[in-house]
Each structure stands twice: as C-alpha cells, then as structure tokens.
Amino acid sequence: MANLKETQVFEPAYHYIDDGKEHGLLSKFEPGTRTLPAGYQVAPEFQALPVDIVFEKDVAVTMRDGVTIYADVFRPVGAGKVPVIIAWSPYGKSGGTAPRTTNLFNMLGMDNSMLSGLAKFEGPDPAYWCAQGYAVCNPDARGIAHSEGNIHLIGTQEGRDCYDLIEWLAVQDWCNGKVGMSGTSYLAFSQWFIAAEQPPHLAAINPNEGLSDAFRDLSLRGGMPDLWFTKRLQVNHVNANSVLREDVYEEALRYPLANYPVWEDKIPRFDKITVPAYVVASYSNTLHTQGTFRAWRRMASKEKWLRIHNSQEWPDYYDEMNTEDRRRFFDYYLKGIDNGWEQTPRVRYAVLDMEGGDLLNQPATRFPPQDVRYRKYYLDGMTRTLTPNAPEQEVKVVYDTETDPATASFITRFHSKTVLVGYPKVYLRVEAEGADDMDLFVLVQKLDVHGNSLSQFLVPNQGAMMHDLTERSGSVLRYKGSNGRLRVSARHLDKELSTDIIPAHSFDRMEKLKPEEIVEIEMDLFPIGLLFYPGEQLRLVISAKNDLGAIMPGTPAYVPENKGKHIIYTGGIHPSYVQLPVKQG
C-alpha cells in the first residue's frame, strides 16, 4: 500500500487578506513588543483589559525542519515567571475580532463584550488569564497567514510542530517551564495529537469537545462521504505567500476506506496520551461528541477528568463558572497550588429532561456510572412498539426510500421515572430491495406524555430565526436526541475495539448486499443522559433520510445514496433491538 506522502493531496493555499479586518483587527504582520495598558480596548464592542499586558506580536519560532511559524504571546506585566497556555488551530492569531467570529456569536445570542478581542476563535481570553498570572500563546500554525511551510489538516505534523513550540516557550526567561493547552473544537482535537507526542514541558491539557478521528468523525462518518463541512473547514487555510494546503476533501474522494495511511495519520495514538487532562464533552455535538468520548475512554492518562454539560461548546467554554473551574485545574498542574483539585469527581455528567429541569454536575467515578445496567428493547413490527422480550412472530417493516416519509419508528412508554446514562446501540436485521446498499440513520427521541417530540436549544438565541436555522440543519445548535448513522456495506466490526456496549467499525472494506440477503448490523449511537418522567415515551426512528441535516447552518447537508426499499426485520428468528443504558434506583 502507498505511504503517507503518496496519499496526501495538496493544492494551493487560499489567499491571505492582510487588511487588519478580514482576519481580525490585529492581524497585520507587525513584529514587535508593546504594552497594552489596563483599560485598553481593541474595539468598543469588546471588554476592557483588567491589567497591563505585554503583547509580543509575530514572534518567530523555528520548527525542527527549519520552517518558521509566527505566534502572538500575551503575558502579565511584572509577574515574574508564569506558565503559558497555547491555543493551537489554523484560525488565525487574532481571529476573535474577525467579522466571521463576531457575526457568528451575535447570531447565536452570545455577547462579544464578554471577551477582550485578544482571544483566538474558540480559545482562552488573554485578558482573563493574564490577570490570573498566566501567559497565552496564539500561534499561526504551519502555512497559515505568514507562517512558512505547507498546511496540514489534522494529524501528526501538527503534533510535532506544537511539540517544538511548547519546548521553545518553556525555556523563555518569563516562563516557569509549565505549558498547558486549552480550547474548543479544532483547539481541542489538536490536543490529542500534540499530547501523543509527549512534549516534556506539556503539563496539562484541556480539550473541550473535539473529534478524534478525521475519517469517522469528520469526513466519512458511518462510512458516508459527508464532506461539506470538511470543505468549509479548509477555507481557513490562507497564506500570504505561495504555499500549499492539504485537501482532505479530495483525499476522502480518492480514499474512501479507513485503512489508507492518510487516515491512519489522522487518528491520535491514544495510548501515548499520558498527560493530566480535563476533558469537556456534551451529548449533542454532532461533530465532536463521539470523538471526545472515544478519546476520553482510550487515552492512557491516569489523571483525567470528564465534565459533560447541557449546552453548546462556545457558550459553555466562555461561561464564567466554567472558566473558573478550568483555572483551578491549571492552577493545580501549572502553578503547583494545593487547591483540592484532585478531589474533584473524575466524572461530572448531565442528565437532560428537555423540559427545563436538566441535572448538572452529577458526580461519578466513571462514565457510564457504576449503577447503569444495559437493557434490550426489541422492535415489534406488528405493534410498532419496543418491548422487553423479543416478539415470537417475525414481521417485516418496509419503507420506500424514494418517497416520504422513508421512516420506520417504534415507541415505548415509561411507567416510572427512568434515567438513561451511557452508550446506546442498535442491532438490526435488514435487507435492501432494489439496491445493493443502504444508508441508515437512527435517532432516539424523547416524547412527552401526549406523544409530542421534544428538542432543546443549546445556544442563548432561541428566536424565530434560530428555529428556522435548526429545523432541518444546524444540528450542533439544537438537540433532538441520540443519533447514529451507518452505510450497511461498511458494517464490518473491528474485533479488537468493539465491545458489547460500543460497536466499532473497521471501515476497511465494502460488503455490498446481494438480492434477498438479510444482514446483521450494529450501530453505535451518541452517548446519552436523558430523564423520562412517568408517562413519557421513547421513540426509536430508523430512516433513509438525513433528517438532522447539516452540522452548521449555511453548509449543505449530506444527501443519502438510497434507492429502492429498506426492509427491517423484527421478531421471530430475526429479532432487532435497541440497547439502552438504564440507571438503577
């Protein structure tokens, strides 16, 4: 098989507009050091600085292969030696003031005045952290803006580059030798790769919702080439000179199986991640949830904490209480302050009721909690219900994929208070009529006592426009239930990684269906924390259509490649079921 370089695809980078606006108010290339006094505002809509800050702009840092990248460093005046927190991403050192960021936050109902404008998009705010005795480093990754080299999207090259940056920062005369990392989304999943390189001076990481496998989480989730968000992500690959950018969109078209080197390079070596970690996740992030939980489970760190929240990544990350919680973690590991952080429950999880009564910060020693038991609920095609015992009679449920609704659902009603916490999965026996493959989408919905489906907004804006944007799109902004997807020809399980609780697919082969062939599939669904009151119902939806739509508004949704009819077998010798994590007591 070809090696990594032979499977990577590079195209010319997009042009960097160095006008001090498009990529942020401080984006012009102006190497030098100055002091920003307390009270300084980048612009009127942003928060004033609480303390004097030394701003080292466009600092050159040389990588091991001679490539130079540029970073902005913010540090408190007269604080002596301080630890530093890195925000690593391709989003531009001053992207927090770029129109695309401020307009996005305005749309979501987030007030830009909560930040100083010095923060990188999705990263820690230097105004807060410098006031707490920390430095913040915002680098432009290899090939971004004025940094040299070709741009790589996700993988070991970023890990090696940030290793070199960490070791450079650690020996600066203002640094105490301790380096941490923090941020959401790209600033989170880059941390898996960087920590796996084991930089000696990396003391702690704080990934907040970040995918951990570019094949399974980003480009080919469920074996389906859902590439529009990949294409959108690459728009950030801009440079002022003639460099190249890795085209993962094109790589996915050329290499649709996971066992190519280009994809193997985009899975972190979880067993090499040993640094203390404070991981933040949610049940609802259709881009990051599965990857965050996967990394949490598989990383080798003995000192690791997990907090599962009930919001969207950006409002959660910049919440004042959550920022203070993050500071306690970094104070413990980067400053050596004996503040009792080690007594923090290793897991704090949320239980959603989707009716305004969510339970937050539920303590546990692991996830799922120890008192969770898994129960099978069998599909009954005759009654369209979910039952505790497999029906004796076999019934086929059939829908036409090319007409509406192209859906089959099954319902159960809970007669007592029931809490689901953990990893659901489905086991189905299916057949394709008039086709040799099936794109299947599964959703676990909560219904109220009257049968109305419930959903939950995850951002402050809950107005009419947000309803429109999230009705059939914007799945990271509105939670509709635990979901999963699988192309049936990609059903082969990875025997080493699969468990009875969480099936894992190898995605290294395509096994097309033969006429009248009944096949077994297992599908992992998003982890869940959901409360049902007496009389409320759970609806399992199996569909040929991508009803959740695109991850973000403005990005086209994946259109399934379905034809003919889907047949779902229930009962008899071909039982199908959903397995649910039920909390005892």
Side-chain angles (χ1 to χ4, degrees), residues 172-190:
Q172 299 307 298
D173 58 10
W174 50 262
C175 184
N176 72 350
K178 300 286 188 180
V179 182
M181 300 195 72
S182 184
T184 79
S185 192
Y186 203 110
L187 284 77
F189 64 72
S190 61

Side-chain angles (χ1 to χ4, degrees), residues 74-95:
F74 303 89
R75 50 190 177 86
V77 172
K81 290 184 179 293
V82 297
V84 58
I85 300 172
I86 298 175
W88 183 277
S89 76
Y91 293 153
K93 296 189 279 75
S94 62

Side-chain angles (χ1 to χ4, degrees), residues 467-482:
H467 276 271
D468 297 343
L469 292 174
T470 60
E471 195 68 30
R472 288 177 294 275
S473 184
S475 56
V476 298
L477 307 178
R478 185 176 176 186
Y479 182 55
K480 299 177 182 178
S482 173

Side-chain angles (χ1 to χ4, degrees), residues 4 150 162 172 181 186 237 289 298 316 370 396 417 469 553 571:
L4 174 60
N150 294 331
C162 196
Q172 299 307 298
M181 300 195 72
Y186 203 110
H237 290 173
T289 289
R298 295 178 58 187
D316 181 84
Q370 289 183 323
K396 294 186 288 186
K417 182 178 176 181
L469 292 174

